[in-house]
Amino acid sequence: MVGKEIDEHKDFLERAINYLKERGFTNIKTDLPGYESPKTFVQKKGGTNLSADISAHKNGRKYFFDISLKSFDPSKLKSKWLLLDTVARLRSNRFKIITTKGHFKFTDTLLKDVNLTSKDPIRI
């Protein structure tokens, strides 16, 4: 999710956090009250701040999770995914995408557009 979409979809973000807790993830960080904020990356070109929707640890490895819901500005979502995937690969971390019913086709299309077809979205 990008920008103010986080406020609109807090319920789905909470469902995703509960899903991750059930799967054994710890040290969960997100932009919800009661949680620590995940690390933010700043683009030099535009000064835009980008961060993963959720970051967590499991088995000694750090995971970045991004929520994929239909958006009016998919170009920002694509650049965010490319950045998070690159940072995760550079640091031997993992990057995963979480989506839900009604958003699968949108997510698959974006993944094909940015050539991240090896990523299988987590379906909640």
Side-chain angles (χ1 to χ4, degrees):
M1 292 184 288
V2 181
K4 55 188 168 189
E5 292 177 354
I6 292 173
D7 294 332
E8 298 171 6
H9 300 291
K10 282 185 180 180
D11 56 335
F12 183 70
L13 192 56
E14 290 172 355
R15 277 183 33 209
I17 291 169
N18 290 335
Y19 175 86
L20 295 175
K21 284 181 180 178
E22 290 172 0
R23 301 299 184 274
F25 286 90
T26 59
N27 195 19
I28 295 174
K29 297 179 182 180
T30 188
D31 286 330
L32 290 177
Y35 290 95
E36 195 175 325
S37 294
K39 182 171 180 154
T40 302
F41 303 99
V42 180
Q43 284 183 329
K44 288 183 180 179
K45 194 172 189 178
T48 309
N49 294 336
L50 296 174
S51 65
D53 291 331
I54 303 169
S55 67
H57 288 87
K58 183 177 181 181
N59 297 332
R61 196 167 290 250
K62 187 172 186 175
Y63 288 78
F64 296 112
F65 296 95
D66 201 57
I67 307 291
S68 175
L69 299 173
K70 292 178 185 174
S71 173
F72 292 109
D73 192 5
S75 63
K76 286 185 181 179
L77 199 55
K78 290 178 191 178
S79 64
K80 182 179 177 181
W81 290 356
L82 287 173
L83 173 75
L84 291 173
D85 184 56
T86 303
V87 169
R89 283 189 285 131
L90 285 173
R91 297 183 181 170
S92 298
N93 297 329
R94 300 289 185 256
F95 171 61
K96 302 282 185 179
I97 296 171
I98 300 173
T99 190
T100 187
K101 184 178 178 181
H103 301 273
F104 298 141
K105 184 166 175 46
F106 173 78
T107 303
D108 285 339
T109 303
L110 289 184
L111 287 172
K112 287 177 186 173
D113 288 348
V114 294
N115 200 19
L116 290 176
T117 53
S118 62
K119 301 285 181 206
D120 288 328
I122 299 171
R123 298 174 182 192
I124 296 180

